[in-house]
Amino acid sequence: MRKTIIVTGGAGFLGSHLCKRLLDEGNEVLCVDNFYTGQKRNIVQLLDNPYFEFIRHDICFPLYLEADEIYNLACPASPIHYQSDPVQTTKVNVNGSTNMLGLAKRIGARILQASTSEVYGDPSVHPQTEDYWGNVNPVGPRSCYDEGKRCAETLFMDYRKQHHLGIKIVRIFNTYGPNMHPHDGRVVSNFIMQALKNEPITVYGEGNQTRSFCYCDDMIDGFIKMMSTPDDITGPINIGNPNEFTIKQLAEEVIDITNSKSVIKYHPLPQDDPKQRCPDITRAKQQLQWQPTVELRQGLIHTIEYFSELMKEDPTL
Ligand code: NAD
Ligand code: UDP
């Protein structure tokens, strides 16, 4: 049966993949976005589909729609973007999430929250399990995002307890792929753009900090599986690829695949940059029968093809 599904942040990197996937599965999609970090290019191919509707709207303001499900992705994800207007970042997570929860309550829709591995901060438990409470600085440059997302999780859980809402929380670990903004400052897009232009690769710190990179298609599978779980499964559930790499290894891999002349240039490490990050995905395996399938090199090859095409379209990028 065709469902009507709201995707907030639907013009962003992950949101645009999710909208496409939900349409391909025969649903009607209401994509809500204010283009804060999203791009029209990401959804332009969907605009001709009669079951796709775009609504330009800031979720910090109330929204009145009817739907069966809501995926709440609206929030800038790149540290450069979320730190450029930190008050707005907290607002989108607290006021925006409250509005979407209120909407879900009024219409009786299930609602999924795109939470983050950043709720663990600079973790002292490794790999991170869902029952670890995290190590987060409440007054640092990343707090607007980390604490905003933590408060959003609280709101989701309390709407469940108080109003019996069908809620789902996924904690997303670093995800990459086509449709990332070429200048959003995240490590994968930065390194690929720099390598394609034969410019120095900007490694922060000594590049020994680790991240675990998940390809977007795997992530979207995880979202869809989570949304279709029975009511008693609320999460939080980690979704990410448990293969861990240092940032220096990532730089070397990108240089190798692109056959670039770029050299690595070291820059100071940003304040509160987590030293290591890797998901424990036991819960996702057990409760969602989900695990990632795309290896880093394979995913990087697809992503590099996307950015190469983008640069052919616009050589000034
Ligand atoms: P993105 O920045 O590409 O997409 C976010 C989208 O939200 C953009 O289209 C933006 O315009 C929109 N948006 C922002 N504020 C809004 C507002 N007030 N009203 C309406 N729309 C608004 O980021 P992404 O990588 O696609 O991330 C999507 C979600 O997943 C975010 O909530 C992010 O925190 C979460 N997440 C992503 C990652 C990752 O590695 N990609 C990791 C952890 C969590
Ligand atoms: N990073 C880097 N060079 C860049 C961008 C990021 O070395 O040009 C590092 C950053 O310091 C962090 C890691 O790469 O340790 C991942 O950064 P990103 O901004 O992608 O996301 P984060 O996981 O920190 O939220």
Side-chain angles (χ1 to χ4, degrees):
M1 199 190 69
R2 189 188 304 283
K3 285 190 218 150
T4 302
I5 303 177
I6 297 172
V7 179
T8 77
F13 158 50
L14 289 175
S16 56
H17 288 286
L18 178 62
C19 288
K20 181 167 185 323
R21 170 76 181 267
L22 293 171
L23 288 169
D24 288 347
E25 290 184 353
N27 300 296
E28 176 162 2
V29 172
L30 307 180
C31 167
V32 176
D33 204 297
N34 65 352
F35 288 127
Y36 184 56
T37 51
Q39 312 176 78
K40 203 162 238 177
R41 189 187 190 286
N42 287 347
I43 52 164
V44 86
Q45 281 165 340
L46 310 179
L47 292 173
D48 285 340
N49 188 325
Y51 293 103
F52 180 78
E53 212 171 309
F54 176 73
I55 299 153
R56 191 188 284 247
H57 177 81
D58 178 341
I59 64 154
C60 293
F61 298 91
L63 179 67
Y64 293 89
L65 293 170
E66 307 300 318
D68 303 298
E69 293 175 354
I70 305 171
Y71 287 84
N72 188 37
L73 273 62
C75 175
S78 145
I80 289 183
H81 285 146
Y82 72 63
Q83 289 173 23
S84 71
D85 188 349
V87 172
Q88 175 61 20
T89 300
T90 302
K91 277 189 186 167
V92 71
N93 283 303
V94 179
N95 303 6
S97 295
T98 309
N99 285 331
M100 293 307 102
L101 285 160
L103 171 64
K105 180 177 153 225
R106 181 179 66 78
I107 62 180
R110 270 194 172 186
I111 180 164
L112 178 144
Q113 167 66 356
S115 192
T116 171
S117 52
E118 281 285 314
V119 299
Y120 302 121
D122 190 4
S124 49
V125 167
H126 195 74
Q128 291 81 59
T129 47
E130 290 87 349
D131 52 12
Y132 172 53
W133 289 355
N135 174 33
V136 173
N137 177 356
V139 290
R142 299 176 88 103
S143 313
C144 56
Y145 185 76
D146 299 10
E147 298 288 21
K149 290 282 188 183
R150 286 167 69 96
C151 185
E153 287 199 6
T154 309
L155 282 164
F156 270 69
M157 282 304 189
D158 287 341
Y159 263 79
R160 164 101 186 149
K161 285 178 214 147
Q162 211 173 320
H163 302 298
H164 316 292
L165 222 62
I167 65 128
K168 311 277 169 192
I169 299 173
V170 288
R171 289 185 179 154
I172 304 168
F173 283 65
N174 295 63
T175 305
Y176 68 99
N179 294 8
M180 291 183 92
H181 194 291
H183 298 301
D184 82 356
R186 282 184 270 188
V187 69
V188 174
S189 43
N190 265 12
F191 285 4
I192 293 178
M193 290 300 287
Q194 290 160 349
L196 290 174
K197 293 196 269 185
N198 293 307
E199 289 174 356
I201 305 283
T202 55
V203 169
Y204 302 158
E206 290 172 9
N208 296 328
Q209 69 272 40
T210 69
R211 294 291 186 275
S212 311
F213 298 100
C214 184
Y215 189 64
C216 51
D217 292 357
D218 281 333
M219 184 57 59
I220 302 302
D221 280 344
F223 287 3
I224 305 244
K225 285 199 161 152
M226 182 63 174
M227 187 60 109
S228 63
T229 49
D231 237 14
D232 59 326
I233 295 185
T234 60
I237 293 191
N238 290 338
I239 314 244
N241 192 317
N243 293 337
E244 189 178 358
F245 295 86
T246 67
I247 293 304
K248 189 156 176 273
Q249 283 173 321
L250 175 72
E252 287 162 353
E253 191 79 342
V254 170
I255 291 173
D256 183 52
I257 300 171
T258 49
N259 210 6
S260 171
K261 296 188 186 61
S262 294
V263 291
I264 292 178
K265 193 158 178 238
Y266 293 91
H267 293 259
L269 191 66
Q271 189 195 328
D272 294 345
D273 198 287
K275 285 180 275 307
Q276 52 183 5
R277 188 184 288 150
C278 178
D280 180 315
I281 59 163
T282 311
R283 201 180 273 187
K285 282 184 182 162
Q286 285 171 351
Q287 297 190 350
L288 310 182
Q289 288 74 51
W290 176 91
Q291 61 182 6
T293 58
V294 182
E295 293 298 334
L296 180 65
R297 193 172 176 90
Q298 194 190 341
L300 284 176
I301 291 171
H302 291 310
T303 314
I304 288 164
E305 274 166 15
Y306 169 79
F307 281 110
S308 306
E309 279 304 310
L310 216 57
M311 284 178 60
K312 276 187 211 146
E313 277 173 33
D314 182 359
T316 61
L317 277 177

